[in-house]
Amino acid sequence: MAVITCIDDLKRLHRRRTPKMFYDYAESGSYTEQTFRDNTADFAHIRLRQKVAVDMSNRSTAATMVGEAVAMPVALAPVGLTGMQAADGEIKAARAAEAFGVPFTLSTMSICSIEDVAAHTTKPFWFQVYTLKDDDFMRRLLDRAKAAGCSALVITVDLQILGQRHKDLKNGLSAPPKLTARSVADMAMRWRWGLGMLGTKRRFFGNIVGHAKGVTDPSSLSSWTAEAFDLTLDWKRVAQLRAMWGGKVILKGLLDADDARTALAVGADAIVVSNHGGRQLDGALSSIRALPAIVDAVGDQIEVHMDSGIRSGQDVLKALAMGAKGTYIGRAFVHGLGAMGEAGVTKALEVIRKELDTSMALCGERNVSALGRHNLLVPKDFAGDWA
Ligand code: GLV
C-alpha cells in the first residue's frame, strides 16, 4: 500500500482511481482559474514565525465551531457529487468525520440523500442549501434536514448562477455519467470505482430526484442550477430562510466587509469567508487575503470561518492565526475519498491534524485558541493596495 504523507499523495491517487469527469469536477475553478490558483498561492506567501525553547507538552487542537466541540477547527465543506468520487461517498465522508470529531456538511447536490446519511451516522451533521425558486421544495428540504437532526444550516449565498468550469462542459459532467464511448473507456480503467458503483443504488442527486418538480434533466448540475436556483436571492430572503430553519445558521460565500456587516445584522451564527474554491467569480480575491478585513470588521461580534485553498495543516494554522475561528476543507477530503474511500477521508484528516499540531508546536503554541497574527510573517503588501 502506498505511503501517504500529504494531501498531494491522496490527490495523485484520486486522479488515478476516479473517472476523469469527477476528478476534473473537483479540481476545477471557473473560467481562467485565476482565483482558484490564487487561493493556494496566497497561502504560500504567508510564512510562520518559529519560536524555540517553549514547553510544547500537552498540546490540543480541540476547539468549538458554532458552539459544537470539534477535535480541530476543520469541518468538511459541502461538496456536490461527492457520491460520484466513490460509491456512497457522502456516507463514507460523514462517517469518517464523525469518528474523527469534526463536522460534516452535506451538500444539497449530494448523491446520498439527507436520510441516507442520517441512517448511517449517529451524530448530527450540517446541511447546506442553495436558495431555490420552489419555496415548497425548499421548505420540505429544511423539514427533511430538521427531521434528520441536522444541527446547523449552511446557506450558500454566492451561487445563484454557476461560474462556468470549462472542463465540466467538455467532459459532459452528469450524475450518473452518460454512457459515451469516451466515458465508458475511462470508467473501464477505474475498476475499484466501477465495482463500488455497481454495488450501490446511490447514483443520482438523492435530495432532488423524486423530490423536486419541473427539473428537465436532474442528472446535470448546470441545467438544474439554471432552472431551479433563485436569482432574486437578497438579504430579506436570507432572513426568511433563517426564520424558516429556526436553528443555527452559517452564511457561506462572503468576501466583502460590508456584506459581512449585513450578515451580522441578519443574525447569522457564523459566516464563511469563501470564494467557493475559486469556482464562482473568477478574478475575486483569494479567501485568505479577504479574511483579515472581514475579521477586523465583524470578528468580535460573529464567528468568522474560512475556506478555499486549504490543503495542509499549515494552511489551517495560517487561517486561524489570521483570525478565523473555523476552517473547511473540500478538495482535501475529496482527494482522500477518491483515493481510498472512507479510510482516505480519515487519512486526509489525520494528515492535516498532524501538520497543524506539529507546526503549532514549532511556532511555540500549545492550543489553537492561542494562535494569532504574532505567529505569522505576512508580507507588507499582502492585503494589496486596491483602488
Ligand atoms: C457547487 O456548489 C459547485 O461548486 O459545483
Side-chain angles (χ1 to χ4, degrees):
M1 176 154 140
V3 178
I4 305 292
T5 56
C6 58
I7 296 300
D8 236 27
D9 286 345
L10 293 169
K11 180 174 166 181
R12 270 189 292 274
L13 278 180
H14 176 202
R15 184 173 197 170
R16 211 183 298 153
R17 294 182 174 171
T18 306
K20 180 170 162 39
M21 83 168 61
F22 301 119
Y23 176 83
D24 280 354
Y25 169 70
E27 200 49 23
S28 287
S30 56
Y31 304 104
T32 69
E33 301 194 329
Q34 180 190 44
T35 298
F36 171 59
R37 286 189 300 276
D38 282 356
N39 280 336
T40 46
D42 285 346
F43 264 114
H45 286 305
I46 302 172
R47 303 292 152 82
L48 301 176
R49 189 155 166 231
Q50 175 176 282
K51 293 297 279 179
V52 298
V54 179
D55 179 358
M56 53 172 79
S57 60
N58 301 320
R59 297 185 308 281
S60 171
T61 58
T64 60
M65 286 174 81
V66 289
E68 296 182 17
V70 293
M72 62 177 173
V74 181
L76 301 199
V79 179
L81 288 89
T82 293
M84 281 288 136
Q85 304 291 355
D88 305 330
E90 289 88 2
I91 292 173
K92 289 175 180 159
R95 290 171 67 96
E98 177 174 321
F100 201 90
V102 293
F104 170 76
T105 318
L106 183 71
S107 165
T108 295
M109 302 305 262
S110 59
I111 302 299
C112 304
S113 67
I114 305 170
E115 294 78 10
D116 273 341
V117 175
H120 290 86
T121 49
T122 61
K123 294 205 193 105
F125 53 95
W126 297 350
F127 184 62
Q128 173 270 342
V129 280
Y130 305 100
T131 42
L132 307 170
K133 280 184 212 154
D134 182 345
D135 205 48
D136 189 43
F137 176 60
M138 191 93 212
R139 274 177 202 281
R140 276 184 285 124
L141 206 53
L142 297 193
D143 286 346
R144 288 168 60 195
K146 260 181 241 166
C150 293
S151 54
L153 185 72
V154 177
I155 304 177
T156 297
V157 291
D158 63 357
L159 197 150
Q160 295 99 285
I161 48 172
L162 202 63
Q164 179 173 300
R165 300 94 191 237
H166 300 328
K167 285 181 239 162
D168 292 351
L169 297 180
K170 292 198 162 83
N171 290 331
L173 175 76
S174 68
K178 300 214 162 54
L179 300 180
T180 63
R182 213 172 75 177
S183 72
V184 169
D186 186 52
M187 285 187 281
M189 283 163 44
R190 331 282 178 174
W191 59 270
R192 268 172 231 267
W193 180 90
L195 281 180
M197 285 298 164
L198 287 174
T200 183
K201 289 202 237 29
R202 303 184 184 98
R203 294 192 286 256
F204 303 87
F205 288 111
N207 293 325
I208 295 159
V209 175
H211 296 278
K213 292 180 289 265
V215 184
T216 47
D217 181 4
S219 70
S220 158
L221 180 77
S222 49
S223 69
W224 150 253
T225 37
E227 286 173 355
F229 285 34
D230 184 7
L231 290 175
T232 68
L233 167 69
D234 58 12
W235 288 105
K236 221 171 86 208
R237 179 71 173 149
V238 172
Q240 268 172 8
L241 288 175
R242 177 173 172 261
M244 259 159 85
W245 173 249
K248 284 180 204 163
V249 161
I250 302 171
L251 295 184
K252 173 175 173 289
L254 290 92
L255 287 176
D256 183 86
D258 287 339
D259 282 350
R261 287 187 197 97
T262 312
L264 185 69
V266 164
D269 296 270
I271 53 171
V272 189
V273 176
S274 168
N275 53 40
H276 214 105
R279 301 162 71 79
Q280 284 297 98
L281 180 63
D282 186 38
L285 221 50
S286 68
S287 286
I288 190 64
R289 271 190 166 194
L291 176 66
I294 294 185
V295 168
D296 290 347
V298 298
D300 54 345
Q301 298 166 77
I302 191 169
E303 222 171 278
V304 178
H305 299 171
M306 82 82 72
D307 74 19
S308 305
I310 294 180
R311 306 286 189 275
S312 69
Q314 292 90 320
D315 293 339
V316 173
L317 191 161
K318 289 171 184 175
L320 298 176
M322 279 288 215
K325 291 284 181 275
T327 64
Y328 298 72
I329 50 169
R331 294 182 181 93
F333 93 79
V334 166
H335 292 327
L337 180 68
M340 293 159 48
E342 184 172 336
V345 179
T346 304
K347 184 50 117 181
L349 289 166
E350 281 169 1
V351 162
I352 286 179
R353 179 160 61 188
K354 186 94 194 300
E355 290 169 339
L356 170 62
D357 179 51
T358 304
S359 308
M360 182 176 82
L362 295 172
C363 284
E365 302 291 354
R366 291 192 287 187
N367 286 292
V368 283
S369 59
L371 293 169
R373 293 194 199 178
H374 61 281
N375 300 117
L376 301 178
L377 297 165
V378 182
K380 282 208 170 62
D381 60 352
F382 186 71
D385 187 12
W386 313 96

mmCIF file of all heavy atoms in Angstrom, residues 257 260 271 273 290-302 304-305 319-325 373:
data_model
loop_
_atom_site.group_PDB
_atom_site.id
_atom_site.type_symbol
_atom_site.label_atom_id
_atom_site.label_comp_id
_atom_site.label_asym_id
_atom_site.label_seq_id
_atom_site.Cartn_x
_atom_site.Cartn_y
_atom_site.Cartn_z
ATOM 1 N N ALA A 257 -16.271 43.120 3.433
ATOM 2 C CA ALA A 257 -16.540 43.516 4.813
ATOM 3 C C ALA A 257 -17.949 44.100 4.979
ATOM 4 O O ALA A 257 -18.613 43.857 5.997
ATOM 5 C CB ALA A 257 -15.489 44.516 5.283
ATOM 6 N N ALA A 260 -20.302 41.340 5.173
ATOM 7 C CA ALA A 260 -20.173 40.679 6.475
ATOM 8 C C ALA A 260 -20.965 41.434 7.541
ATOM 9 O O ALA A 260 -21.611 40.828 8.402
ATOM 10 C CB ALA A 260 -18.706 40.582 6.865
ATOM 11 N N ILE A 271 -20.191 33.246 9.682
ATOM 12 C CA ILE A 271 -20.073 33.467 8.231
ATOM 13 C C ILE A 271 -18.822 32.739 7.745
ATOM 14 O O ILE A 271 -17.875 32.560 8.507
ATOM 15 C CB ILE A 271 -19.969 34.965 7.858
ATOM 16 C CG1 ILE A 271 -18.836 35.645 8.644
ATOM 17 C CG2 ILE A 271 -21.285 35.674 8.072
ATOM 18 C CD1 ILE A 271 -18.550 37.060 8.157
ATOM 19 N N VAL A 273 -15.925 33.081 5.070
ATOM 20 C CA VAL A 273 -15.210 33.840 4.041
ATOM 21 C C VAL A 273 -14.786 32.810 2.989
ATOM 22 O O VAL A 273 -14.050 31.873 3.291
ATOM 23 C CB VAL A 273 -13.983 34.555 4.638
ATOM 24 C CG1 VAL A 273 -13.197 35.268 3.547
ATOM 25 C CG2 VAL A 273 -14.424 35.522 5.729
ATOM 26 N N ALA A 290 -8.852 37.957 1.672
ATOM 27 C CA ALA A 290 -10.077 38.667 2.047
ATOM 28 C C ALA A 290 -10.346 38.559 3.553
ATOM 29 O O ALA A 290 -11.031 39.399 4.134
ATOM 30 C CB ALA A 290 -11.262 38.092 1.267
ATOM 31 N N LEU A 291 -9.796 37.524 4.169
ATOM 32 C CA LEU A 291 -10.133 37.223 5.570
ATOM 33 C C LEU A 291 -9.818 38.355 6.571
ATOM 34 O O LEU A 291 -10.707 38.723 7.361
ATOM 35 C CB LEU A 291 -9.420 35.916 5.978
ATOM 36 C CG LEU A 291 -9.560 35.459 7.422
ATOM 37 C CD1 LEU A 291 -11.007 35.083 7.747
ATOM 38 C CD2 LEU A 291 -8.644 34.255 7.704
ATOM 39 N N PRO A 292 -8.599 38.922 6.566
ATOM 40 C CA PRO A 292 -8.285 39.887 7.636
ATOM 41 C C PRO A 292 -9.247 41.076 7.707
ATOM 42 O O PRO A 292 -9.650 41.472 8.801
ATOM 43 C CB PRO A 292 -6.866 40.361 7.278
ATOM 44 C CG PRO A 292 -6.295 39.272 6.435
ATOM 45 C CD PRO A 292 -7.436 38.669 5.695
ATOM 46 N N ALA A 293 -9.632 41.622 6.562
ATOM 47 C CA ALA A 293 -10.526 42.792 6.591
ATOM 48 C C ALA A 293 -11.876 42.416 7.200
ATOM 49 O O ALA A 293 -12.497 43.230 7.911
ATOM 50 C CB ALA A 293 -10.717 43.336 5.173
ATOM 51 N N ILE A 294 -12.318 41.205 6.941
ATOM 52 C CA ILE A 294 -13.625 40.781 7.480
ATOM 53 C C ILE A 294 -13.513 40.506 8.982
ATOM 54 O O ILE A 294 -14.397 40.882 9.761
ATOM 55 C CB ILE A 294 -14.157 39.567 6.676
ATOM 56 C CG1 ILE A 294 -14.447 40.031 5.241
ATOM 57 C CG2 ILE A 294 -15.374 38.943 7.347
ATOM 58 C CD1 ILE A 294 -15.074 39.015 4.328
ATOM 59 N N VAL A 295 -12.404 39.895 9.376
ATOM 60 C CA VAL A 295 -12.185 39.680 10.818
ATOM 61 C C VAL A 295 -12.139 41.038 11.525
ATOM 62 O O VAL A 295 -12.761 41.214 12.585
ATOM 63 C CB VAL A 295 -10.885 38.883 11.057
ATOM 64 C CG1 VAL A 295 -10.494 38.896 12.530
ATOM 65 C CG2 VAL A 295 -11.039 37.448 10.562
ATOM 66 N N ASP A 296 -11.445 41.992 10.936
ATOM 67 C CA ASP A 296 -11.353 43.322 11.559
ATOM 68 C C ASP A 296 -12.733 43.976 11.648
ATOM 69 O O ASP A 296 -13.051 44.645 12.623
ATOM 70 C CB ASP A 296 -10.409 44.237 10.765
ATOM 71 C CG ASP A 296 -8.952 43.791 10.909
ATOM 72 O OD1 ASP A 296 -8.677 42.959 11.796
ATOM 73 O OD2 ASP A 296 -8.105 44.260 10.114
ATOM 74 N N ALA A 297 -13.576 43.746 10.639
ATOM 75 C CA ALA A 297 -14.893 44.407 10.621
ATOM 76 C C ALA A 297 -15.876 43.773 11.605
ATOM 77 O O ALA A 297 -16.611 44.485 12.286
ATOM 78 C CB ALA A 297 -15.470 44.364 9.195
ATOM 79 N N VAL A 298 -15.925 42.440 11.662
ATOM 80 C CA VAL A 298 -17.002 41.800 12.449
ATOM 81 C C VAL A 298 -16.533 40.675 13.376
ATOM 82 O O VAL A 298 -17.341 40.066 14.076
ATOM 83 C CB VAL A 298 -18.105 41.214 11.508
ATOM 84 C CG1 VAL A 298 -18.778 42.295 10.696
ATOM 85 C CG2 VAL A 298 -17.542 40.127 10.595
ATOM 86 N N GLY A 299 -15.217 40.415 13.367
ATOM 87 C CA GLY A 299 -14.695 39.239 14.067
ATOM 88 C C GLY A 299 -14.977 39.196 15.557
ATOM 89 O O GLY A 299 -14.982 38.117 16.163
ATOM 90 N N ASP A 300 -15.236 40.372 16.165
ATOM 91 C CA ASP A 300 -15.516 40.361 17.608
ATOM 92 C C ASP A 300 -17.010 40.168 17.871
ATOM 93 O O ASP A 300 -17.443 40.057 19.015
ATOM 94 C CB ASP A 300 -15.003 41.652 18.266
ATOM 95 C CG ASP A 300 -15.559 42.901 17.586
ATOM 96 O OD1 ASP A 300 -16.099 42.779 16.450
ATOM 97 O OD2 ASP A 300 -15.480 43.985 18.190
ATOM 98 N N GLN A 301 -17.819 40.123 16.812
ATOM 99 C CA GLN A 301 -19.272 40.010 17.026
ATOM 100 C C GLN A 301 -19.885 38.736 16.455
ATOM 101 O O GLN A 301 -21.016 38.383 16.773
ATOM 102 C CB GLN A 301 -19.976 41.209 16.373
ATOM 103 C CG GLN A 301 -19.547 42.528 16.994
ATOM 104 C CD GLN A 301 -19.978 43.678 16.113
ATOM 105 O OE1 GLN A 301 -21.140 44.045 16.098
ATOM 106 N NE2 GLN A 301 -19.053 44.231 15.356
ATOM 107 N N ILE A 302 -19.160 38.076 15.570
ATOM 108 C CA ILE A 302 -19.694 36.869 14.934
ATOM 109 C C ILE A 302 -18.520 35.940 14.647
ATOM 110 O O ILE A 302 -17.390 36.399 14.456
ATOM 111 C CB ILE A 302 -20.443 37.234 13.615
ATOM 112 C CG1 ILE A 302 -21.233 36.051 13.067
ATOM 113 C CG2 ILE A 302 -19.497 37.776 12.554
ATOM 114 C CD1 ILE A 302 -22.191 36.427 11.931
ATOM 115 N N VAL A 304 -16.173 34.002 12.550
ATOM 116 C CA VAL A 304 -15.764 34.069 11.144
ATOM 117 C C VAL A 304 -15.015 32.784 10.792
ATOM 118 O O VAL A 304 -14.032 32.427 11.428
ATOM 119 C CB VAL A 304 -14.857 35.297 10.877
ATOM 120 C CG1 VAL A 304 -14.402 35.320 9.418
ATOM 121 C CG2 VAL A 304 -15.584 36.595 11.234
ATOM 122 N N HIS A 305 -15.529 32.062 9.811
ATOM 123 C CA HIS A 305 -14.870 30.856 9.305
ATOM 124 C C HIS A 305 -14.286 31.170 7.927
ATOM 125 O O HIS A 305 -14.625 32.184 7.328
ATOM 126 C CB HIS A 305 -15.873 29.707 9.168
ATOM 127 C CG HIS A 305 -16.533 29.298 10.446
ATOM 128 N ND1 HIS A 305 -17.585 28.401 10.494
ATOM 129 C CD2 HIS A 305 -16.302 29.656 11.742
ATOM 130 C CE1 HIS A 305 -17.965 28.223 11.751
ATOM 131 N NE2 HIS A 305 -17.209 28.977 12.529
ATOM 132 N N ALA A 319 -4.777 30.304 8.576
ATOM 133 C CA ALA A 319 -6.137 30.862 8.590
ATOM 134 C C ALA A 319 -6.570 31.201 10.019
ATOM 135 O O ALA A 319 -7.148 32.266 10.272
ATOM 136 C CB ALA A 319 -7.117 29.881 7.953
ATOM 137 N N LEU A 320 -6.265 30.302 10.954
ATOM 138 C CA LEU A 320 -6.652 30.544 12.350
ATOM 139 C C LEU A 320 -5.873 31.743 12.902
ATOM 140 O O LEU A 320 -6.432 32.607 13.584
ATOM 141 C CB LEU A 320 -6.404 29.302 13.209
ATOM 142 C CG LEU A 320 -7.204 28.038 12.831
ATOM 143 C CD1 LEU A 320 -6.770 26.858 13.702
ATOM 144 C CD2 LEU A 320 -8.712 28.262 12.964
ATOM 145 N N ALA A 321 -4.581 31.792 12.582
ATOM 146 C CA ALA A 321 -3.757 32.894 13.086
ATOM 147 C C ALA A 321 -4.200 34.233 12.482
ATOM 148 O O ALA A 321 -4.038 35.287 13.092
ATOM 149 C CB ALA A 321 -2.286 32.621 12.789
ATOM 150 N N MET A 322 -4.786 34.176 11.304
ATOM 151 C CA MET A 322 -5.320 35.397 10.651
ATOM 152 C C MET A 322 -6.675 35.772 11.235
ATOM 153 O O MET A 322 -7.282 36.752 10.813
ATOM 154 C CB MET A 322 -5.490 35.162 9.154
ATOM 155 C CG MET A 322 -4.213 35.301 8.365
ATOM 156 S SD MET A 322 -3.700 37.034 8.266
ATOM 157 C CE MET A 322 -2.990 37.068 6.647
ATOM 158 N N GLY A 323 -7.187 34.958 12.136
ATOM 159 C CA GLY A 323 -8.409 35.348 12.833
ATOM 160 C C GLY A 323 -9.629 34.480 12.576
ATOM 161 O O GLY A 323 -10.691 34.708 13.162
ATOM 162 N N ALA A 324 -9.506 33.477 11.711
ATOM 163 C CA ALA A 324 -10.664 32.589 11.507
ATOM 164 C C ALA A 324 -10.860 31.725 12.754
ATOM 165 O O ALA A 324 -9.889 31.317 13.389
ATOM 166 C CB ALA A 324 -10.439 31.704 10.289
ATOM 167 N N LYS A 325 -12.127 31.464 13.075
ATOM 168 C CA LYS A 325 -12.407 30.601 14.239
ATOM 169 C C LYS A 325 -12.670 29.165 13.782
ATOM 170 O O LYS A 325 -12.797 28.257 14.584
ATOM 171 C CB LYS A 325 -13.631 31.121 15.006
ATOM 172 C CG LYS A 325 -13.369 32.431 15.701
ATOM 173 C CD LYS A 325 -12.540 32.222 16.972
ATOM 174 C CE LYS A 325 -12.269 33.498 17.712
ATOM 175 N NZ LYS A 325 -11.097 34.235 17.222
ATOM 176 N N ARG A 373 -1.957 36.679 15.011
ATOM 177 C CA ARG A 373 -1.083 37.244 13.969
ATOM 178 C C ARG A 373 0.384 37.265 14.401
ATOM 179 O O ARG A 373 1.278 37.362 13.564
ATOM 180 C CB ARG A 373 -1.585 38.626 13.543
ATOM 181 C CG ARG A 373 -2.929 38.498 12.824
ATOM 182 C CD ARG A 373 -3.365 39.733 12.073
ATOM 183 N NE ARG A 373 -4.819 39.646 11.826
ATOM 184 C CZ ARG A 373 -5.550 40.564 11.238
ATOM 185 N NH1 ARG A 373 -4.987 41.674 10.824
ATOM 186 N NH2 ARG A 373 -6.847 40.390 11.072
#
